[in-house]
Amino acid sequence: MMLTKYMFTGCFLLCSSFLLAQKKKEYKITTVAFYNLENLFDTENDPITFDDDRTPDGKDHWTKAVYSDKIKNMAKVISQVGADVAGNSPAIIGIAEVENRKVVEDLVNDPSLLSKAYGIIQFDSPDRRGIDVGLLYQKALFRPKNSKIYPLMLYNHTTNKRVYTRDQLVVSGYLDGDLIHIIVNHWPSRRGGEARSRYKRNKAAILNTKIIDSLFAIDPYAKIITMGDFNDDPHSPSVRKILAAQSDKDKVRLKGLYNPMAKLSKKGIGSLAWADRWSLFDQIIISKSLLHNDYTSYRYYKAGIYNPEYLSTPKGKYKGYPFRSFSNGSYTGGYSDHYPVYLYLITQKK
């Protein structure tokens, strides 16, 4: 069938109108982030945990002045993650290495964050160092439905005694009415060597997988974000094989996971550095439903590492590494030995 002049003109006008309508669509950008705060302890001596060094009379001379400066620095960073694109600090941010609820309350009440009215979800974990994970959320943007902690049961291979470590925190809630499930992790460290400690992180991955599977059992299309300091890279067995987090979006099946940090890792980009090597232990991994192209609800847009110049060590042997707050036995005035990581979720404005 041949197009007449009038039919062609009508088609052209229709297509032009459609394209114009598409261009007029506006999208809301929201930041979800994770930040390891590098031993955010208060100055009080907790008799239950091993925090004696982080007291005014302890080895680290952790005074109120030092603590206040550390709080100020952490709040500054959180306030700026994603703000250049989203126009706001993170709607949701997972945190690690916080001693208790008090330090988190001091953090959200810092002048840099006070106007954001962050809510707090934090539980004390059995970790011997006394550090926990937690979740901050802007009350105007996210409404928690429920929260729960899952203990990681680990046992020493030699003594068969329990190894006490961080719980995994699960928070379900509504981001602008969109139900999202968030898991905050801080998996066991590589202390004693990567190979020797690998079983601990594999156990953490198994627990994480069970949590995710339980959410999928209720809803195969659940929007799930598992984030944290995994103490493993995206290509490590715990993440790549046990969690089965894919580096290619097209390979993610229903009830599967996508790891946007994997491509960054392949480029040699990291969130922390040690012994002249970059690692990407800090990751945000998402479920299949956040990858769809229907933007009537929140979908994944992009992910990254927040590493402006001021967060890097300015000089010396560790120049260019994350500007940690404590080094060589004293407070440096820095920030953390980890960079924050983030992702942007977008949805069509209604």
Side-chain angles (χ1 to χ4, degrees):
M1 175 181 174
M2 294 182 61
L3 283 173
T4 66
K5 171 183 176 182
Y6 302 105
M7 291 172 69
F8 179 82
T9 302
C11 179
F12 176 79
L13 291 173
L14 181 63
C15 294
S16 297
S17 299
F18 174 76
L19 291 173
L20 186 61
Q22 290 296 101
K23 287 181 179 179
K24 286 183 179 179
K25 286 182 180 179
E26 294 184 353
Y27 296 88
K28 179 178 181 179
I29 304 176
T30 298
T31 308
V32 176
F34 173 80
Y35 196 15
N36 182 320
L37 303 180
E38 191 202 355
N39 295 320
L40 183 57
F41 284 81
D42 61 23
T43 61
E44 303 296 323
N45 185 12
D46 186 337
I48 299 176
T49 59
F50 293 88
D51 70 340
D52 295 15
D53 292 342
R54 289 294 167 103
T55 59
D57 297 324
K59 181 171 65 69
D60 296 341
H61 305 291
W62 201 250
T63 64
K64 288 186 177 180
V66 168
Y67 171 69
S68 296
D69 195 62
K70 170 77 170 177
I71 286 286
K72 180 192 71 175
N73 284 351
M74 296 293 90
K76 173 186 174 182
V77 178
I78 291 172
S79 72
Q80 295 178 359
V81 175
D84 56 335
V85 173
N88 193 2
S89 59
I92 299 167
I93 180 165
I95 53 175
E97 293 199 9
V98 294
E99 184 182 14
N100 50 42
R101 187 178 180 89
K102 177 185 179 299
V103 301
V104 185
E105 289 175 348
D106 289 345
L107 178 66
V108 300
N109 285 317
D110 183 87
S112 296
L113 296 178
L114 189 58
S115 65
K116 303 300 180 181
Y118 275 107
I120 299 168
I121 298 176
Q122 178 271 338
F123 297 90
D124 289 331
S125 75
D127 183 88
R128 294 187 71 195
R129 289 173 56 204
I131 55 174
D132 311 321
V133 297
L135 189 80
L136 308 181
Y137 60 94
Q138 291 193 39
K139 297 175 184 177
L141 302 175
F142 182 77
R143 179 167 56 88
K145 177 184 176 185
N146 51 56
S147 58
K148 183 178 180 180
I149 51 172
Y150 289 80
L152 177 58
M153 305 303 291
L154 289 176
Y155 295 90
N156 185 289
H157 281 170
T158 304
T159 64
N160 205 34
K161 290 183 178 179
R162 184 178 171 188
V163 178
Y164 291 96
T165 188
R166 281 77 61 178
D167 300 324
Q168 295 183 15
L169 171 64
V170 183
V171 179
S172 300
Y174 297 92
L175 180 62
D176 289 334
D178 199 357
L179 181 60
I180 293 180
H181 309 277
I182 301 150
I183 310 169
V184 187
N185 304 266
H186 186 187
W187 290 2
S189 75
R190 296 188 171 197
R191 186 183 300 274
E194 187 278 328
R196 187 177 178 183
S197 60
R198 187 182 302 157
Y199 80 95
K200 299 178 183 179
R201 291 181 299 282
N202 286 349
K203 286 282 189 180
I206 291 169
L207 174 60
N208 208 240
T209 301
K210 288 180 178 178
I211 295 169
I212 292 169
D213 286 347
S214 70
L215 294 170
F216 280 140
I218 298 170
D219 178 10
Y221 302 94
K223 292 182 176 179
I224 301 171
I225 300 174
T226 184
M227 63 166 74
D229 176 356
F230 294 92
N231 271 303
D232 266 340
D233 287 299
H235 61 265
S236 299
S238 62
V239 179
R240 184 67 184 87
K241 293 184 178 180
I242 299 175
L243 270 186
Q246 300 292 329
S247 59
D248 185 344
K249 289 185 195 177
D250 296 332
K251 292 183 179 179
V252 182
R253 299 180 178 180
L254 183 65
K255 298 195 286 187
L257 300 174
Y258 171 61
N259 189 351
M261 320 307 289
K263 291 181 179 179
L264 296 175
S265 180
K266 286 181 180 178
K267 294 177 181 178
I269 301 172
S271 58
L272 72 157
W274 178 256
D276 295 325
R277 180 180 179 273
W278 283 95
S279 297
L280 189 42
F281 291 172
D282 305 274
Q283 301 169 56
I284 304 178
I285 300 169
I286 61 177
S287 64
K288 171 75 172 179
S289 290
L290 284 164
L291 297 175
H292 296 324
N293 293 324
D294 174 12
Y295 294 100
T296 54
S297 63
Y298 275 108
R299 307 295 180 186
Y300 166 77
Y301 174 51
K302 66 181 294 187
I305 300 169
Y306 184 69
N307 56 356
E309 187 176 353
Y310 77 87
L311 283 185
S312 297
T313 305
K315 59 183 179 180
K317 180 181 178 181
Y318 301 107
K319 181 178 179 180
Y321 286 18
F323 188 12
R324 63 186 308 160
S325 60
F326 199 85
S327 181
N328 296 322
S330 62
Y331 181 66
T332 66
Y335 298 85
S336 173
D337 54 349
H338 293 244
Y339 293 134
V341 292
Y342 65 89
L343 61 77
Y344 294 125
L345 298 178
I346 63 172
T347 184
Q348 188 177 327
K349 287 187 176 179
K350 299 177 177 62

